[in-house]
Amino acid sequence: MPGQVIINAEAVSWMRKQPSSMYDLVIADPPYNVGKNYGATVDSVDNRGYMKFLDEWTLEASRLLKPHGTLYAFMGFRFISSLYDILEKDRGLFFNSWICWHYTQGQGRRRGFSTRHDDIFMFTKHPKKYTFNLDDVKVPQKYYRGVNNMRGANPGDVWEFSHVHFCQKNRQAHPTQKPESLIERMVLASSHEGGNVLDPFSGSGTTLRVCQQVSRGCTGVEINPDYVKMTRERLRRPFRGFDGVDPRMKRVPLDLNDPAVRSEYTEDHKRWFLKNHESDMAGFEKEMLRQYGPFTRRKSGKSTAPKPRNADLFTK
Ligand SMILES: C[S@@+](CC[C@H](N)C(=O)[O-])C[C@H]1O[C@@H](n2cnc3c(N)ncnc32)[C@H](O)[C@@H]1O
């Protein structure tokens, strides 16, 4: 079983001392240079200083990636175009996806549109040979069709996950904690069980926690000793499912009118889409009940289920 290692160090200095081609996947969520207070560091330097930092950490992160490895990098709008250029031109990595993480809540603005998304790049070290486990990250189909493969659809590059709210049990005392489900999608898509993941700015330990639960090894590097301690405690806690869920994961397909098919699909759905989200299964079952109502089977095998609300709309 691969292990989780949390290191209290400055990321660039630590990475410089590591041998090349060690990691299948790097998930980097660095400070964006927007003045956040991370306790041990002030997230505010002049532009030239920040460009130097981008250059240094990307150089080391791409060196540490295996030849078929993948890098995900979060970035704020001020430096996103610079990061794109650095990764493509200076590091020679291959662009794969520009993911928009859409969250539904945040600070409101009065003059201008309220910010509701973060940008995440996915680059690979090889243009064609890289891991992408599509089946592990699919989202449920909108409609049931007997001819369809109901195993799901590609989630696309706009990902909706709400922030981890202060009232949630898993909320850590960290200003930019990411939802576990967001990181789960990256880890499941771009690494295999037993793989080796690096998070050079690990913060509250979200990537380590996800990797721990999906059987990947993970090394996290974090400069603030308080966050390192927080991560150690987080990794010791019993697992009760990842925080947050893509709302589509609870989606009940329309047109699922045959009770026998519905019953089989219900079990498949939970196994395919809600594997690490036990606490969301009840919500899915509730939605199934709301849409199709309870049903029992008569001796004749005919269902007594009420006609689903959408039956007239979608059956010929
Ligand atoms: C955006 S946060 C990461 C949040 C993390 N993804 C999570 O879910 O909790 C960036 C983290 O990088 C740490 N940090 C800043 N500069 C660093 C450096 N040079 N080396 C290592 N860690 C650094 C900060 O203390 C902060 O916790």
Side-chain angles (χ1 to χ4, degrees):
M1 182 79 166
Q4 318 308 314
V5 182
I6 172 75
I7 288 156
N8 185 200
E10 195 286 312
V12 177
S13 322
W14 181 85
M15 288 194 282
R16 280 188 182 135
K17 293 183 210 136
Q18 309 310 308
S20 302
S21 305
M22 290 281 288
Y23 296 95
D24 302 287
L25 171 63
V26 174
I27 297 178
D29 180 16
Y32 295 173
N33 204 26
V34 289
K36 280 260 180 237
N37 179 4
Y38 288 117
T41 50
V42 182
D43 173 26
S44 176
V45 289
D46 61 22
N47 275 14
R48 200 192 290 182
Y50 193 73
M51 289 298 288
K52 183 169 172 279
F53 170 67
L54 282 186
D55 188 57
E56 288 175 345
W57 80 252
T58 57
L59 179 68
E60 293 309 319
S62 53
R63 183 181 65 78
L64 295 188
L65 268 183
K66 290 183 187 172
H68 301 149
T70 301
L71 166 74
Y72 288 85
F74 290 73
M75 189 43 60
F77 61 88
R78 278 209 181 97
F79 291 92
I80 189 108
S81 56
S82 306
L83 179 66
Y84 187 103
D85 280 348
I86 290 173
L87 293 177
E88 191 174 65
K89 295 187 187 134
D90 301 344
R91 304 287 86 91
L93 299 178
F94 295 90
F95 172 77
N96 186 291
S97 303
W98 184 324
I99 297 154
C100 168
W101 167 33
H102 169 228
Y103 39 80
T104 45
Q105 281 175 312
Q107 279 187 346
R109 292 176 69 198
R110 294 180 69 85
R111 292 173 64 78
F113 299 103
S114 302
T115 308
R116 290 293 176 268
H117 81 276
D118 257 23
D119 296 297
I120 307 163
F121 285 147
M122 174 190 167
F123 276 75
T124 59
K125 203 155 177 178
H126 190 281
K128 292 197 179 112
K129 291 185 191 162
Y130 54 88
T131 301
F132 195 74
N133 307 314
L134 180 58
D135 269 353
D136 295 342
V137 292
K138 281 179 170 173
V139 296
Q141 307 278 12
K142 262 189 193 163
Y143 297 97
Y144 178 80
R145 292 282 179 269
V147 290
N148 265 10
N149 172 8
M150 293 307 287
R151 180 64 185 81
N154 188 306
D157 57 6
V158 179
W159 298 0
E160 187 179 322
F161 293 101
S162 61
H163 280 292
V164 190
H165 294 294
F166 288 96
C167 57
Q168 276 177 260
K169 276 198 191 124
N170 198 28
R171 176 70 209 206
Q172 313 293 314
H174 188 284
T176 57
Q177 177 185 352
K178 299 298 178 297
E180 289 169 349
S181 309
L182 176 81
I183 304 292
E184 178 195 15
R185 185 170 284 164
M186 300 173 191
V187 172
L188 294 182
S190 300
S191 68
H192 297 297
E193 276 194 21
N196 214 3
V197 180
L198 171 68
D199 181 342
F201 308 99
S202 60
S204 65
T206 309
T207 307
L208 287 132
R209 180 57 158 171
V210 170
C211 288
Q212 179 193 47
Q213 297 307 324
V214 296
S215 308
R216 273 73 165 169
C218 182
T219 300
V221 187
E222 170 54 53
I223 203 163
N224 184 334
D226 293 337
Y227 298 154
V228 169
K229 190 166 167 256
M230 175 188 292
T231 300
R232 290 208 174 102
E233 282 162 15
R234 188 171 175 185
L235 291 173
R236 278 198 288 267
R237 270 179 224 143
F239 180 65
R240 306 203 196 292
F242 290 137
D243 56 40
V245 71
D246 179 329
R248 292 173 296 178
M249 293 304 199
K250 294 190 272 188
R251 163 160 95 186
V252 170
L254 300 170
D255 253 4
L256 198 48
N257 299 325
D258 182 326
V261 174
R262 200 153 70 231
S263 155
E264 192 185 330
Y265 175 81
T266 303
E267 291 315 304
D268 285 343
H269 184 112
K270 289 192 275 187
R271 192 161 44 84
W272 290 333
F273 307 116
L274 296 170
K275 200 167 148 202
N276 301 311
H277 296 263
E278 270 203 54
S279 56
D280 292 296
M281 286 185 187
F284 163 70
E285 282 170 348
K286 204 169 150 199
E287 184 55 23
M288 188 67 109
L289 201 67
R290 191 189 69 78
Q291 257 179 254
Y292 292 100
F295 65 87
T296 52
R297 275 180 176 283
R298 285 196 201 129
K299 274 201 181 126
S300 65
K302 233 180 163 190
S303 165
T304 60
K307 203 174 179 190
R309 284 186 203 185
N310 51 22
D312 296 327
L313 282 172
F314 299 105
T315 49
K316 284 184 186 159

